[in-house]
Amino acid sequence: MILDLRTIFVTGALTCFIIGAMQLMTFATGRFTRNPVWWGVSSLCIGTGLLGTALRGAIPDIASIEFANTALLAGCLLLLFGIRNFAGRRLDWFGFGVVLLGTWTLLSLSPGPEGYATRVMVVSTVMALCDAAIVREALRLGRQEGLRSAWLLAILFAPTVVVYAGRIALAALDQVGTTLFPAESGATGWLAASGVAFIILRGQALLLLSAERSNRMLATLARRDPLTGAMNRSGLEQWLAQQTHGEQRAALLLVDIDHFKRLNDTLGHAAGDRILRVFAAAVRDELRSTDILARQGGDEFAIILPDIGVREAVRVAERIRHAFRDKLADLAEARLRPTLSIGVAEAGLGGRELDDLLVEADEALYRAKRLGRDRVQAQLSSAA
């Protein structure tokens, strides 16, 4: 079966226009950040380039060669920029302009059939480098954020890097012919048809990438206190429900910031919020990656230290108390010098309700308050 290359290019262009419109409409739903805008504009640019290329011979060469190829490459670069922006990385707009201007110049200096191999080499080089950079960014996202759709994206872009590298080699050996639309397209037609399939799959993978991160952010917001980044009560209950082994024991710390209400009343809630953030930062400096910090509400926090006994937990609590005091020294609000009262207990994690689990630590906390605050108290049975 012989495939008509012009028809394939037109089909690819229409596919890009549809995908671009879908990506822009996805952003319009308000459920995502601006990343679908990058990818939508990228798809529209690629579609414009493919359509201009399909009209080669029917419109002036400056439109079907220089403009069409530059639009195509602009779309590929915008796709890369969109992924870099998604990853929070720097965007080099100067380099973007240099690449497009250089491409236009090189294409204009290689006119007609005799310049076709040079044009193939120029366009294929830029697209190979662009797709390779996208593979690198996708792999980095997969490793750093654990996004499964990022691995899928890398898989979808890696084959075209190889295809473009092959095109570069053939062009360097002057084995690509003298025209994009020969009488018999042969393997080129099948490659072009495969390219349209890749365009569709990539567009869906990009939307999956945005959706996966958005879902993770929503899940995090549902489990985390937005002010301190600590787990909220709901998140702690979910974590506890996953601890199915009743024999696993942990030290439990209940922490109360002393006289926090007076600090709020005197200096305002903004100062109180800063104190809460300072406390959370001080705690994280002293905890292991397996330890849990959760905000119970107001100025009360729970800390779970898996596989640690009461005696070691008391030492951790004392380090937290001193670290908090040291961090407060840098704050203007530190003239009130809030301190910490901490109750420490030990219990098995599996099959326990949160309130039942924390009851002994709660008793130790209130004993610390009755004894004058700014101290650590362990449950009586383990205090010796």
Side-chain angles (χ1 to χ4, degrees), residues 332-360:
E333 294 87 354
R335 56 190 175 88
L336 283 183
R337 299 291 178 185
T339 54
L340 300 180
S341 295
I342 305 177
V344 181
E346 182 182 353
L349 294 179
R352 302 287 297 277
E353 295 292 333
L354 181 59
D355 289 336
D356 177 50
L357 187 68
L358 297 177
V359 64
E360 290 185 342

Side-chain angles (χ1 to χ4, degrees), residues 115-261:
Y116 178 69
T118 301
R119 298 198 301 270
V120 169
M121 191 180 303
V122 170
V123 174
S124 296
T125 298
V126 176
M127 295 186 77
L129 292 174
C130 191
D131 283 8
I134 289 173
V135 171
R136 183 184 63 181
E137 295 294 338
L139 292 175
R140 183 181 286 114
L141 279 170
R143 289 193 301 268
Q144 294 180 351
E145 298 190 27
L147 296 173
R148 295 178 181 178
S149 50
W151 297 106
L152 174 61
L153 200 65
I155 291 172
L156 291 174
F157 275 89
T160 53
V161 177
V162 178
V163 171
Y164 291 135
R167 291 280 287 172
I168 294 168
L170 289 175
L173 296 173
D174 201 20
Q175 298 296 311
V176 292
T178 58
T179 179
L180 179 61
F181 300 117
E184 295 185 3
S185 58
T188 304
W190 287 103
L191 281 176
S194 301
V196 174
F198 270 99
I199 288 173
I200 297 171
L201 293 172
R202 289 172 175 181
Q204 297 303 313
L206 289 168
L207 291 180
L208 284 174
L209 193 67
S210 282
E212 185 177 359
R213 180 188 272 181
S214 294
N215 289 338
R216 287 196 175 191
M217 291 173 63
L218 290 173
T220 298
L221 289 174
R223 298 192 304 264
R224 295 279 175 181
D225 169 47
L227 178 63
T228 62
M231 278 187 183
N232 56 25
R233 184 179 177 88
S234 174
L236 182 56
E237 289 175 339
Q238 290 180 32
W239 179 86
L240 187 61
Q242 296 169 359
Q243 312 309 305
T244 56
H245 301 294
E247 68 274 9
Q248 184 184 13
R249 298 190 66 80
L252 313 172
L253 280 61
L254 270 182
V255 187
D256 188 84
I257 301 178
D258 300 324
H259 306 299
F260 186 75
K261 184 178 183 303

